Amino acid sequence: MKSIFILTGAGISAESGIQTFRGSDGLWEGHRLEDVASPGGFHRDPTMVYSFYNVRRAKIRDAIPNAAHSALARLERDFPGTVTLVTQNIDDLHERAGSRQVVHMHGEAMKARCLKCQAISLCETTLDETNRCPACGTVGTLRPHIVWFGEIPLFLEEIDHALTQADLFVAIGTSGVVYPAAGFAELAARHGIRTIEINPASTEISPHFDEHLRGPATEKVPAWVDGILSATSV
Ligand code: APR
């Protein structure tokens, strides 16, 4: 095996204390998704949306990467072939666990994007109408660098290329309801790529996987990484 493609979702950060999206109440931290995660919601009430992400950013800063994030960093470091890590998460826990190449297809909480010049800048604390874009100098044009509903995810070409070249596709902690990521397992299966789902629950996309490792990410991911690394060590 030469190439592993990993897709992570909110479930991998759940044991670090970051709430997943689709809890039983259908709300994200008490808010309707369309209010806080859509261009229309931002247009209607930018102050509320800025403040929502300021709170998320603070929670992410306080969270600590868990054993599953660390195991994936170890895999990237020690696997002799290629490891592509694509995440739907906007947190930076993969990076803080030591992963060096993380593809954030839904954007990043710690970054802002200028609506005027499109430049992406770091924003690790508070973002609101008073921030100045460090690239073009305009005040009030920065928005969270997050892909909202109705917007196109990032890096889709690179992702498609890496996925279709892979020998193994592993989805960790994702419910498989948001496309295009929800379609990756089926695409992999169509290309004859072996597929593994790591999730305590079965999901909409479970039927597309060859193997299911049922349990929390902090337990199943390190054990799976150990198995891969011991099979490839000489
Ligand atoms: N370990 C592994 N998986 C877990 C754990 C855990 N400890 N706890 C929960 N899960 C699983 C749940 O069973 C569920 O299948 O994580 C999944 C979380 O699903 P969602 O909350 O829907 O998150 P995700 O699939 O990442 O959402 C996709 O939706 O709202 C948008 O843009 C947002 O990126 C997000 C996208």
Side-chain angles (χ1 to χ4, degrees):
M1 185 172 52
K2 293 201 187 94
S3 175
I4 304 175
F5 184 106
I6 295 163
L7 172 70
T8 64
I12 196 166
S13 296
E15 291 165 87
S16 292
I18 298 179
Q19 204 193 294
T20 59
F21 294 92
R22 290 168 186 82
S24 50
D25 57 4
L27 299 176
W28 183 15
E29 303 271 355
H31 294 263
R32 295 189 318 155
L33 277 175
E34 55 270 40
D35 290 338
V36 292
S38 75
F42 183 58
H43 184 72
R44 274 192 301 280
D45 193 348
T47 307
M48 192 272 280
V49 175
Y50 279 128
S51 120
F52 177 79
Y53 286 99
N54 289 338
V55 175
R56 302 279 78 66
R57 218 172 279 119
K59 284 200 174 177
I60 291 169
R61 270 202 320 272
D62 288 346
I64 296 168
N66 65 46
H69 298 106
S70 301
L72 294 183
R74 188 157 54 88
L75 183 70
E76 182 192 56
R77 195 189 63 213
D78 295 344
F79 181 67
T82 309
V83 174
T84 304
L85 176 55
V86 174
T87 187
Q88 298 166 89
N89 299 343
I90 59 171
D91 67 56
D92 59 356
L93 296 182
H94 282 305
E95 286 88 344
R96 284 200 272 133
S99 286
R100 278 174 298 183
Q101 290 199 307
V102 186
V103 179
H104 282 273
M105 65 180 294
H106 290 171
E108 296 173 69
M110 301 299 173
K111 290 185 180 167
R113 189 171 76 244
C114 179
L115 290 167
K116 189 170 170 214
C117 76
Q118 305 304 322
I120 295 162
S121 51
L122 264 186
C123 172
E124 289 173 330
T125 54
T126 306
L127 181 65
D128 58 31
E129 292 93 338
T130 65
N131 289 67
R132 182 185 294 278
C133 170
C136 70
T138 315
V139 173
T141 51
L142 294 181
R143 60 160 269 186
H145 180 48
I146 290 167
V147 177
W148 286 328
F149 286 98
E151 299 183 318
I152 298 168
L154 309 170
F155 310 113
L156 290 181
E157 251 178 60
E158 293 93 318
I159 290 172
D160 186 69
H161 182 74
L163 175 55
T164 52
Q165 303 292 309
D167 303 306
L168 176 64
F169 170 76
V170 185
I172 304 167
T174 179
S175 59
V177 297
V178 173
Y179 282 81
F184 292 173
E186 196 179 353
L187 178 67
R190 260 194 278 126
H191 278 78
I193 298 162
R194 185 170 164 68
T195 52
I196 302 177
E197 178 177 58
I198 303 182
N199 199 310
S202 76
T203 67
E204 300 272 327
I205 51 171
S206 290
H208 299 300
F209 290 89
D210 299 311
E211 189 180 344
H212 303 92
L213 303 176
R214 293 267 172 257
T218 54
E219 192 186 298
K220 296 296 173 187
V221 178
W224 170 71
V225 168
D226 286 347
I228 292 284
L229 292 179
S230 60
T232 50
S233 65
V234 276

